[in-house]
Amino acid sequence: MGMQGATASRIRAAASSVGRGAHLRRVLFGLALASPAAAPAADLAAPPAAGAFADWSGPYLGLEGSAGGAYGAYTFAPSTVGGQTVPAFKSGDSTGRSDRGRDATTAVGGAYAGWNWQNGPWLYGIEAALDAANLKRPVPSTIAGFGYEGVDPAFDVIRAKTDVYGTLRGRLGYSFDRYLVYATFGLAGANARVLANYPDLGTGGLATARANLGYLGFTLGAGVQYAVSDTLALGIDYRYIDLGEGGRFPLGAVPGLGPVTSRASFTSNQMFLRLMWFPGGLKVPADPDETAPHDPDTATSDRFSLHGQTTLIAQGVPGFRSPYLGEQSLIPHQARQTTTATVFLGFKLAEGTELYYNPEFSQGFGLSRTLGVAGFVNGEAQKAGAPFPKLRSNRYYVKQTIGLGGETVEVPDGPNQVATRYDAERITLIAGKFALGDFFDGNVYAHDPRVDFFNWSLWAASAWDFPANLPGFTQGVYAEYNRPDFAVRAAYTQVPKEPSSDVLDPRVFRRAGLNIEFEERHVLPVLDQPGKVRIGLFSNEGNSANYRDVVTLTQLGAFGDINDAVAATRRPRRKSGGYINLEQALTPELGLFARASVGDGRTENISFTDIDQSVSGGLSLKGKAWDRPDDTVGLGAAMNGLSPSHRAAFANGYYGLLIGDGQLRYGSERAIETYYAMNLTKFVTLTFDYQFIDNPAYNRDRGPAHFFASRLHADF
């Protein structure tokens, strides 16, 4: 989540099969054999069992697209103005706060065709693609050497545009189950149009210039695809494009300074959602029996667990009422895309002792760079977003389970769960790096933005300011006492060094977070359906400012900007609050969820979002009634609020964790969300989502806003 969706990801321990885990183990084993060092061993390796993988051989055609998931930047150097060399300058890739094109939506899409050859599970092939684009990157007039550094307001002195990309790539891949994972390499080409505007500051005239360029460079990438039928597949494809540096070109003349010449280089990171058609058909294996768990007594399954997931979300917002903008306002008319890919590794070191590690790639940004709405609209969006796939070690922890006797519980293999057997009454101890949402505030109907609700205030108790870095993880210790009818859990963890910091404070005995939760489990007497009630308390001590103090200092004139007052007065302060969480089945297909949470509202939130009070609830319905038992429909609503001193801070121009319009006419932020999650196969889900936000960022002057999204999620 800006803290991010990954923080709220539910560990669905009972939802995986022995077949799926075994196939993924073959993938990594196969990729290891692909290395030069392992080549001799590859000859001796036994081939996978027949029918264990799809045969992708033959021709294919497809369509691909990216809405807000493609980033590119031009660098101009060496350049001269009037014969004088000027410092190198660049357009930016639209992700920086100072990029003039940061609010533009870059769309790339087109068609491709290719041919695959396959030898056992190993695939090699060739593919050609042609994509149209609307990439536009401005260069601000503040750059040195053109004579416009002092002009206010700044303007676009140069604009670079790309309309067409073409690629010719080789593919090397490995097939398992219905999946294909692959790497790509090859040639890439693109056009560029460079436009310049040079005002004459003396006469008021305007000189213009234009240059048409062509590039040929290289591309590297990787992807994954899944056969949803014997002729169709869906995929996610990433490519890095480096078009190098073109030749020197003239670009008109700056009045009073003389002619301009330059050379331009271009790089791009692109993430595509793909649909492909195989006219000759595919040979695909049957889905493994997802209901058969690993037997914890077998030597092949009780020591090792390997799973994965990938999720792509494309989301857009059309126009809405927006009379003014602050630095952290929601921007109308835009689309953005986020992608994550995670590996869940687990090892049983000894009986009762387990080790888990989760490397994760993430790419992309939420709308408005994950700003502008307190209950943000994409649970996979991060404040720590990146234009390229960024690798982080999001989780690594050791888990010790101490059985206390009585009946035992069979636990199947799943993400971050080795197949094993536990005592129903037990103590669990964990130390390492994890997300507090992994263990606290769980809810089977609303807790995982990769498969259910997108909105932060629906999948989390959003006034709970849980300690975390920017992607949503922390380091610390966790303990739980579990019985069949209840559980008590607590965690002591690091907090960020300051609000919205990616650095965790090492002074754990002076600045840290304490979280406690009680979970009651019951069966509702009349309906005879299970349910849970969770009650949580938190108390964090970290560097923060007091809202009332900074408002007073600003109004008295001690600081011209309230954000300067905030930075100057931050010191260790304690923030506390709590939440209650209801999860209740009404029928086997229909479930109810509800949450209420509150923070003290006197000092800055340091990790999650700008919410002091929140209530939310909704329903989740399986599709059995219309013969789609694995589909899910969700409907939820949330209302968020601020304390009086927190409102006053925003009214005076404060910028918080996610929001800040520069001024505020306060109103409660209200959200409604509905989604339909369509199960394409046992492991692939396509979701369509709609959200309505009234008073985004608590501002009655802005909105309401409508959000539309699609999500592709695959488990491995």
Side-chain angles (χ1 to χ4, degrees), residues 457-462 593-597 614-618 636-640:
S457 291
L458 289 173
W459 55 254
S462 53
F593 70 92
R595 286 184 174 93
S597 56
S614 180
V615 292
S616 65
M639 183 168 68
N640 303 320

Side-chain angles (χ1 to χ4, degrees), residues 24 44 169:
L24 188 54
L44 302 177
R169 303 185 295 166

Side-chain angles (χ1 to χ4, degrees), residues 393-692:
S393 294
N394 278 345
R395 295 181 184 88
Y396 43 81
Y397 59 84
V398 62
K399 175 181 176 181
Q400 179 66 51
T401 303
I402 304 170
L404 300 178
E407 64 182 75
T408 60
V409 178
E410 302 287 346
V411 181
D413 173 85
N416 285 350
Q417 181 58 66
V418 176
T420 189
R421 181 180 292 112
Y422 294 135
D423 289 348
E425 184 177 2
R426 62 188 181 271
I427 293 173
T428 302
L429 304 175
I430 289 174
K433 185 178 183 182
F434 48 82
L436 284 167
D438 295 341
F439 311 116
F440 294 84
D441 192 36
N443 196 297
V444 70
Y445 303 115
H447 191 53
D448 189 349
R450 290 172 175 165
V451 296
D452 51 59
F453 290 95
F454 288 45
N455 192 285
W456 292 19
S457 291
L458 289 173
W459 55 254
S462 53
W464 171 33
D465 189 32
F466 55 84
N469 59 11
L470 292 181
F473 299 85
T474 185
Q475 297 180 136
V477 293
Y478 166 86
E480 176 183 292
Y481 173 65
N482 185 85
R483 290 177 60 93
D485 52 350
F486 74 89
V488 179
R489 52 186 64 99
Y492 186 83
T493 63
Q494 291 179 273
V495 298
K497 279 195 168 184
E498 61 182 20
S500 230
S501 172
D502 204 25
V503 180
L504 298 173
D505 199 318
R507 294 166 289 186
V508 294
F509 296 108
R510 289 190 290 163
R511 301 175 191 177
L514 177 63
N515 293 265
I516 301 173
E517 183 180 275
F518 173 78
E519 176 182 308
E520 178 270 342
R521 301 157 186 158
H522 61 267
V523 175
L524 207 60
V526 177
L527 298 177
D528 193 32
Q529 294 295 324
K532 297 178 182 179
V533 176
R534 299 174 177 89
I535 299 173
L537 300 172
F538 70 92
S539 184
N540 306 323
E541 183 162 357
N543 271 337
S544 62
N546 180 283
Y547 296 127
R548 183 173 295 177
D549 290 350
V550 297
V551 169
T552 300
L553 289 169
T554 304
Q555 292 178 341
L556 291 176
F559 293 90
D561 186 326
I562 191 172
N563 296 289
D564 294 335
V566 167
T569 61
R570 279 179 177 156
R571 62 177 178 80
R573 289 184 167 91
R574 183 165 296 280
K575 188 177 192 69
S576 302
Y579 61 83
I580 185 168
N581 172 330
L582 170 66
E583 166 193 322
Q584 181 62 57
L586 303 178
T587 72
E589 288 76 40
L590 179 64
L592 168 73
F593 70 92
R595 286 184 174 93
S597 56
V598 62
D600 62 34
R602 296 190 298 269
T603 60
E604 287 183 288
N605 292 348
I606 60 174
S607 295
F608 190 30
T609 187
D610 305 290
I611 296 175
D612 297 325
Q613 311 101 27
S614 180
V615 292
S616 65
L619 298 168
S620 176
L621 176 65
K622 289 292 186 181
K624 182 179 179 181
W626 55 95
D627 296 324
R628 297 280 303 178
D630 294 324
D631 290 1
T632 306
V633 177
L635 176 64
M639 183 168 68
N640 303 320
L642 296 176
S643 68
S645 60
H646 204 169
R647 302 176 202 175
F650 280 115
N652 281 270
Y654 170 66
Y655 291 114
L657 298 176
L658 291 191
I659 63 172
D661 293 329
Q663 53 186 292
L664 180 67
R665 191 163 70 94
Y666 179 77
S668 297
E669 183 181 88
R670 297 185 288 268
I672 297 174
E673 179 179 358
T674 185
Y675 73 87
Y676 188 94
M678 182 169 53
N679 193 260
L680 301 180
T681 74
K682 289 184 178 181
F683 308 132
V684 178
T685 304
L686 179 64
T687 302
F688 300 98
D689 183 90
Y690 165 76
Q691 294 179 61
F692 171 86

